[in-house]
Amino acid sequence: MITKLGILTSGGDAPGMNPAIRGVTRYALDKGIAVEGILRGYEGLLRQESILLDQRSVGEIIHRGGTMLRTARCEAFIHEDAQRQAVDFLRSKEIEALIVVGGDGSMKGAQCLSRLGMPTITIPGTIDNDMPGTEYTLGFDTAVNTVLQSVNKIRDTAYSHERVAVVEVMGRHAGFIALHAGMASGAEAVLVPEHDVSLEELCNRLYESHQHRKLSSIVIVAEGAMSGSDVVSYIKEHTYLEPSLTVLGYVQRGGAPTALDAILAGLFAQKAVDCLCQGTVNVVIGLLQNRLVATPYTETDRMHFSIDDNMYNLLHQLGK
Ligand SMILES: Nc1ncnc2c1ncn2[C@@H]1O[C@H](COP(=O)(O)OP(=O)(O)O)[C@@H](O)[C@H]1O
Ligand SMILES: O=P(O)(O)OC[C@H]1O[C@](O)(COP(=O)(O)O)[C@@H](O)[C@@H]1O
Ligand SMILES: [Mg+2]
């Protein structure tokens, strides 16, 4: 059994990272495994910045968004030289395995370390929900609820002024946030990277609704599909409707994790440490059909999940 593990958070922060750090640390310590927290993701491995964690160092964080270990995007880490340097640092700290909490990019980084002989396990943490090997990533539920609260407020003013409220949300490569927030808020339409965007079709739909006495509408645009301001310009140019624009931005990344994110973070943490103890390494932890699983990195290529097309169609059907 290993005697010391390392943990870091990487990529965009996500609510749920803190409860995951807490879960890994306390569960591992309980099994007699020491825990070193690496600061600022892969950047911290290269800058050799870490702290030894005990039960108390992870107190008062379960309800906080962000990550107490800080996070970073580290371009230099894609080079093998840098990865070798990181492995040397981990070994110098007597760390026998590393738990990475992050998104798809961070998982690729973890995979590189595994190839160089440092066992790793990835816990999915990204608001985008765009990771292979899991139907659910930490932070997604909190982000969707944050967007929902904002859209509900925007709806009040859109209704009062009889406007089309265009709301731009995060998601460079995936439309999960847009679709789920759109479904929950009763949006008229969502524009997502997974589907071709036809602004002409959108305007026809809005125009038709308006003629049927629906005097205000919500359109949610994932940043990866198109910019919200382009959608607003098009509507202004091609219809008599009055569009407004809200770009939600980083508000979506912060805030206390929802119960789902905090609970799942604890369960992902337990699964990760149990896997390490059993020698199951170089895997990503995930939730598949409501079961906790660990999938080898090498098998994740065929395990990419996309947005639910039924939900996409239903949203447009119900939003009329
Ligand atoms: N192909 C790769 N090889 C090695 N490291 C990578 C690779 N892709 C991403 N990373 C590392 O993971 C970090 C986080 O990735 P990024 O895609 O920005 O966020 P996320 O993990 O949240 O999706 C990057 O800044 C980089 O250090
Ligand atoms: O913080 P940055 O570098 O501006 O990145 C913004 C991006 O990060 C995210 O919030 C989260 O993405 P990752 O979890 O993949 O890092 C995206 O939705 C958004 O496009
Ligand atoms: Mg990502």
Side-chain angles (χ1 to χ4, degrees):
M1 188 146 97
I2 67 163
T3 56
K4 188 174 186 185
L5 65 79
I7 178 167
L8 61 78
T9 49
S10 165
D13 60 311
M17 283 182 164
N18 271 330
I21 296 165
R22 171 183 179 271
V24 165
T25 304
R26 292 201 176 152
Y27 193 70
L29 288 173
D30 217 39
K31 288 184 172 294
I33 303 169
V35 181
E36 186 88 14
I38 317 295
L39 303 178
R40 302 182 183 83
Y42 297 126
E43 189 76 47
L45 281 181
L46 303 185
R47 280 158 50 175
Q48 309 200 338
E49 293 174 330
S50 68
I51 45 171
L52 197 62
L53 299 175
D54 64 19
Q55 272 94 350
R56 291 280 60 79
S57 25
V58 294
E60 294 303 321
I61 62 166
I62 190 168
H63 61 304
R64 292 190 199 284
T67 157
M68 66 160 282
L69 291 176
R70 314 294 172 91
T71 185
R73 301 191 200 274
C74 174
E75 278 184 28
F77 199 72
I78 58 168
H79 302 294
E80 195 174 314
D81 282 358
Q83 294 157 12
R84 285 190 187 283
Q85 206 180 309
V87 172
D88 288 345
F89 170 62
L90 288 166
R91 292 207 174 119
S92 76
K93 287 277 173 186
E94 295 175 336
I95 293 169
E96 293 158 80
L98 179 69
I99 294 181
V100 170
V101 188
D104 51 345
S106 303
M107 188 177 87
K108 286 184 193 134
Q111 210 167 345
C112 294
L113 293 175
S114 293
R115 277 193 217 109
L116 295 174
M118 173 57 59
T120 68
I121 293 190
T122 301
I123 292 180
T126 165
I127 63 164
D128 287 355
N129 206 41
D130 61 344
M131 278 187 73
T134 185
E135 290 165 350
Y136 191 80
T137 63
L138 300 180
F140 174 60
D141 186 60
T142 307
V144 168
N145 278 289
T146 301
V147 174
L148 175 62
Q149 283 176 15
S150 301
V151 172
N152 285 344
K153 288 175 184 162
I154 292 166
R155 177 185 277 285
D156 290 344
T157 162
Y159 171 85
S160 305
H161 283 267
E162 299 178 344
R163 285 178 178 153
V164 176
V166 176
V167 183
E168 184 188 302
V169 301
M170 281 182 163
R172 265 186 294 213
H173 309 292
F176 286 101
I177 295 177
L179 176 59
H180 285 243
M183 185 74 189
S185 62
E188 177 87 16
V190 294
L191 306 180
V192 291
E194 292 84 348
H195 287 264
D196 290 338
V197 172
S198 162
L199 291 181
E200 194 186 340
E201 205 180 298
L202 173 71
C203 287
N204 287 341
R205 165 186 283 278
L206 294 173
Y207 185 66
E208 217 175 283
S209 294
H210 200 255
Q211 293 204 317
H212 287 105
R213 288 179 294 111
K214 187 168 189 187
L215 303 180
S216 64
S217 305
I218 308 284
V219 177
I220 302 195
V221 191
E223 61 181 341
M226 183 169 278
S227 86
S229 65
D230 286 349
V231 178
V232 163
S233 304
Y234 191 96
I235 296 172
K236 265 190 192 152
E237 232 171 82
H238 293 85
T239 70
Y240 57 77
L241 302 170
E242 196 188 336
S244 68
L245 174 64
T246 308
V247 180
L248 285 181
Y250 289 102
V251 70
Q252 294 161 90
R253 282 241 294 262
T258 57
L260 179 62
D261 276 327
I263 292 168
L264 210 53
L267 293 171
F268 278 1
Q270 178 190 43
K271 181 82 178 170
V273 175
D274 280 344
C275 281
L276 275 186
C277 293
Q278 291 154 11
T280 306
V281 291
N282 310 330
V283 294
V284 56
I285 304 301
L287 191 68
L288 292 181
Q289 296 181 343
N290 236 9
R291 283 167 57 100
L292 285 172
V293 294
T295 306
Y297 296 141
T298 48
E299 288 175 25
T300 54
D301 277 352
R302 53 183 179 82
M303 289 179 70
H304 284 270
F305 301 103
S306 188
I307 56 166
D308 181 349
D309 281 338
N310 175 55
M311 198 194 291
Y312 178 82
N313 293 329
L314 183 62
L315 177 150
H316 290 99
Q317 218 175 334
L318 300 182
K320 279 182 188 161

